[in-house]
C-alpha cells in the first residue's frame, strides 16, 4: 500500500509540474535607507549538489530612477550571487552546497531625484531545480536522442529526485523520532529521580521532626 501511495504521488507530481507557471509580483521602490526593510524574498528547498537555475524577468530599464538588486543565499550562510541593477531577462545558475532552504531576494531602491507616483518594478520569477534546470534540448541534440527518449529520460530523473526526497524525509523522520524517544527516556528518569528525592526528603523530615519532638519531650 505504501509503495502504491509513493507511485501515485510521483505520477501526480509529474502531471502538475508541466502546468506550473512562474511567480509574478510587483516590488515597490523605496529610498536606499528604507529599501532593506521592504526586501522581498522567495524561499525554496534544494538538496545538496543539485543544479538550480533562477530566471528573473524584470520590467523597466536601467536609468529609469529605480535600481533593483537581487541576492541569492541559503539558510546555512552560502552566498550564490548578488546581481545589481537587474532589468530584462536574467538567468543565474548555481549548484547547491547543502541540504537547505535558499532565498531569492529582491530590493528595489529609488534613485530618481524627481517625484514619481508609486514607482515599482514587475518581476516574473521562475526557479528550476534538478532535472527541470537542465537544458533538455541541448542534451537531446548532443546525445542524438529522439523526443520520446529525451522526455522519458527527463521523467526518469524527476522520479529519481522524488524518491530521493522521500528517502531524505524518511531518514529525517527517523532522526526526529530517535530524538523524541531519547528525550522521553531522559524525562522519565528525571521524573523518577525527582520523585525518589522528594520521598527521601519527606522521610528525612519525618525522622528529624520525631527526634526533635522527643528531645523536647513532646511525644
Amino acid at each position: 500500500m505504501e509503495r502504491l501511495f509513493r507511485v501515485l504521488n510521483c505520477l501526480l507530481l509529474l502531471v502538475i509540474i508541466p502546468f506550473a507557471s512562474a511567480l509574478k509580483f510587483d516590488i515597490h521602490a523605496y529610498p536606499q535607507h528604507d529599501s532593506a526593510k521592504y526586501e522581498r524574498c522567495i524561499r525554496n528547498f534544494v538538496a545538496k549538489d543539485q543544479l538550480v537555475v533562477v530566471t528573473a524577468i524584470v520590467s523597466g530599464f536601467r536609468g529609469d530612477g529605480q535600481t533593483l538588486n537581487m541576492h541569492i543565499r541559503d539558510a546555512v550562510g552560502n552566498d550564490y550571487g548578488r546581481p545589481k541593477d537587474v532589468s530584462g531577462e536574467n538567468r543565474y545558475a548555481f549548484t547547491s552546497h547543502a541540504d537547505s532552504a535558499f532565498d531569492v531576494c529582491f530590493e528595489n531602491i529609488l534613485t530618481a531625484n524627481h517625484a514619481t507616483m508609486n514607482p515599482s518594478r514587475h518581476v516574473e520569477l521562475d526557479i528550476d531545480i534538478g532535472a527541470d534546470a537542465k537544458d533538455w534540448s541541448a542534451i537531446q541534440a548532443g546525445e542524438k536522442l529522439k523526443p520520446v527518449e529525451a522526455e522519458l529520460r527527463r521523467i526518469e530523473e524527476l522520479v529519481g529526485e522524488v524518491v530521493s526526497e522521500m528517502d531524505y524525509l524518511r531518514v529525517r523522520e527517523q532522526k526526529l523520532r530517535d530524538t523524541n524517544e531519547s528525550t522521553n527516556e531522559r524525562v522519565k528518569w528525571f521524573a523518577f529521580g525527582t520523585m525518589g528525592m522528594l520521598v527521601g526528603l519527606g522521610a528525612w523530615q519525618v525522622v528529624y521532626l520525631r527526634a526533635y519532638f522527643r528531645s523536647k519531650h513532646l511525644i
Side-chain angles (χ1 to χ4, degrees):
M1 187 67 182
E2 183 180 356
R3 187 183 184 89
L4 178 61
F5 182 70
R6 284 191 176 191
V7 173
L8 289 176
N9 278 341
C10 294
L11 293 176
L12 179 62
L13 182 63
L14 294 176
V15 170
I16 293 175
I17 285 175
F19 298 99
S21 59
L23 179 64
K24 302 177 182 180
F25 57 91
D26 293 326
I27 180 167
H28 295 280
Y30 295 93
Q32 188 166 8
H33 60 276
D34 284 333
S35 60
K37 295 189 300 183
Y38 298 97
E39 183 182 54
R40 177 172 293 186
C41 295
I42 309 301
R43 173 163 291 190
N44 208 329
F45 182 85
V46 65
K48 185 178 181 181
D49 296 329
Q50 274 197 326
L51 175 65
V52 179
V53 175
V54 177
T55 304
I57 303 176
V58 183
S59 64
F61 54 90
R62 294 185 177 182
D64 63 353
Q66 301 177 63
T67 301
L68 184 71
N69 299 327
M70 294 177 60
H71 186 192
I72 305 173
R73 61 181 183 266
D74 66 18
V76 296
N78 295 309
D79 201 326
Y80 297 109
R82 292 175 176 266
K84 302 292 185 181
D85 200 4
V86 178
S87 62
E89 183 173 353
N90 304 268
R91 290 170 62 89
Y92 308 98
F94 64 91
T95 301
S96 59
H97 300 325
D99 295 323
S100 173
F102 71 94
D103 296 322
V104 181
C105 299
F106 297 86
E107 178 186 3
N108 197 6
I109 302 174
L110 181 63
T111 58
N113 295 324
H114 57 279
T116 306
M117 181 66 83
N118 199 22
S120 65
R121 289 276 187 90
H122 180 75
V123 179
E124 184 174 333
L125 179 66
D126 191 13
I127 301 176
D128 296 316
I129 301 174
D132 287 331
K134 294 182 178 180
D135 188 350
W136 289 101
S137 298
I139 294 175
Q140 179 181 347
E143 300 185 14
K144 298 180 179 179
L145 300 174
K146 295 180 180 178
V148 175
E149 293 175 335
E151 183 64 19
L152 287 175
R153 184 168 170 184
R154 186 183 72 85
I155 293 176
E156 181 183 4
E157 290 202 17
L158 286 173
V159 172
E161 289 177 1
V162 173
V163 173
S164 298
E165 179 69 15
M166 296 180 73
D167 288 339
Y168 168 77
L169 293 176
R170 179 181 56 79
V171 172
R172 187 166 184 178
E173 178 191 6
Q174 179 66 40
K175 290 181 179 179
L176 292 175
R177 184 166 61 247
D178 293 342
T179 302
N180 186 40
E181 291 176 356
S182 175
T183 302
N184 290 338
E185 190 72 14
R186 293 181 181 181
V187 170
K188 180 184 72 174
W189 286 111
F190 177 76
F192 285 159
T194 303
M195 189 179 301
M197 183 178 65
L198 292 175
V199 171
L201 181 61
W204 176 81
Q205 285 181 332
V206 170
V207 173
Y208 175 80
L209 291 174
R210 179 178 293 179
Y212 174 77
F213 289 143
R214 282 181 178 175
S215 65
K216 298 297 183 178
H217 304 288
L218 297 176
I219 58 175

